Structures are given as structure tokens and as C-alpha cells.
Amino acid sequence: MYAKTMEGLVGAKTNMDLVNTPMRVYKDARRRGDLAVMERAMGYAGEFAGKAQEYQEKAEEGMEEEVEIVREAEKLEREEAAAKRAEEGEETEEEIRGKAQARVEARSWAALAGEDTAEVSEEGKALLQSAPGMGGGKPLAAPQALTYTKSGAASQPAQAAGISISV
């Protein structure tokens, strides 16, 4: 808690406690019928109540200032966290770029050294051209459905079963 807030709270509490004494005197003077003492006691009570009000306002001002200070601190903290995340993101991007560059360099060195290379024969190239979806050839036939007997032997089904679903 900040000093202005503490001072306001303590001052208000003290003055409210001090109001009790003149009020006791006022009640005693009223029982006796002493108007002069009653007036003096009410003057003191009013004075202490006024000071308590001033200290209460001071405490409220202190709390408002405290809220502003906390808001500014939180704003700075958020900005620092955002800057830190951005910096970490840049570092991560640099690491990724470095690793990608290292892979490219490793591949280049492997190619220069003649390592991990594969050559496709003419027969393989011809098979590739005749494969479906690769530039030619017929699509492959769907595999035949098989059913298995209780003994585990495979057999061709007599008729294909059709399923119709409507929604």
C-alpha cells in the first residue's frame, strides 16, 4: 500500500475514534442540562468528523493513484513480454533457417562426394511410364474379393453383395 493511502486510512480511523470522546461529553452534559458544554462538545465532534472526511478523501485519492501506477506497471510488463515473444520467434526462425541451410549444404556435399545417389535403369523408366497415373498404361484391376471357410481355405464368393444406403 502506498503512503498516501495509508495516511488517509489511519487519519480517518483515528479521527472517527476521537469523535467518540466529545460525543460522550455531549451526552453527559445533556443529562445535566449544561448547554455550553453541549455546544463545545458538538464543536469538537464536528471538527473531528470533518478531519475524518478529509482523510477519507485523501485515502481515495491515494487509491486512485495506486491503481494508475499498477496499470502502468502491468502495461510495461505486457509490452516486455510481447517484445520477448517476438525476439524468441525471431530466434526460432533463425534456427529453422540455419537447419534448413545445413540440410541443403549436406545434400550438396553428398552429391559432390557421390554418396547416396540412385540411378534408374531404362527398364525402370519404361515401367514408370506405363504405370497408371504416371503418364500412361492402364489402370490396375480391382482385387478380387475372397471369403474364407471355417477350415481357413480361401474361396471366391458366389455373388457380390450390394449395399444401398440412403440418407
Side-chain angles (χ1 to χ4, degrees):
M1 215 180 264
Y2 291 94
K4 193 171 188 177
T5 305
M6 285 297 292
E7 181 182 351
L9 292 174
V10 170
K13 171 80 168 103
T14 303
N15 280 293
M16 288 307 293
D17 289 343
L18 290 175
V19 168
N20 292 334
T21 304
M23 289 306 292
R24 247 191 339 251
V25 172
Y26 172 81
K27 289 177 185 177
D28 185 49
R30 188 178 67 189
R31 270 194 307 266
R32 287 180 298 164
D34 191 353
L35 291 176
V37 173
M38 287 172 54
E39 287 178 7
R40 255 194 338 251
M42 285 307 289
Y44 288 129
E47 185 179 321
F48 288 135
K51 285 184 182 178
Q53 182 65 30
E54 290 174 12
Y55 278 113
Q56 181 181 357
E57 291 170 2
K58 192 172 192 176
E60 289 173 1
E61 289 174 11
M63 286 188 286
E64 288 174 5
E65 291 174 6
E66 187 176 344
V67 166
E68 289 299 319
I69 291 170
V70 169
R71 284 183 184 157
E72 289 176 14
E74 288 175 349
K75 182 180 176 184
L76 287 173
E77 191 175 303
R78 283 192 305 268
E79 289 173 356
E80 289 174 0
K84 184 177 178 182
R85 282 192 301 270
E87 183 179 309
E88 289 174 355
E90 290 173 3
E91 290 175 1
T92 304
E93 283 182 23
E94 289 176 10
E95 287 178 20
I96 291 170
R97 285 188 198 126
K99 289 178 181 178
Q101 184 64 28
R103 285 188 206 123
V104 168
E105 289 174 1
R107 288 180 190 153
S108 299
W109 283 106
L112 290 175
E115 298 174 2
D116 294 328
T117 58
E119 293 182 23
V120 180
S121 66
E122 293 300 321
E123 184 180 313
K125 290 178 185 176
L127 282 173
L128 181 64
Q129 290 298 321
S130 67
M134 296 299 225
K138 297 177 185 175
L140 296 174
Q144 294 292 325
L146 295 176
T147 57
Y148 293 92
T149 62
K150 289 182 181 181
S151 63
S155 66
Q156 294 290 334
Q159 246 182 340
I163 298 175
S164 176
I165 299 176
S166 61
V167 179

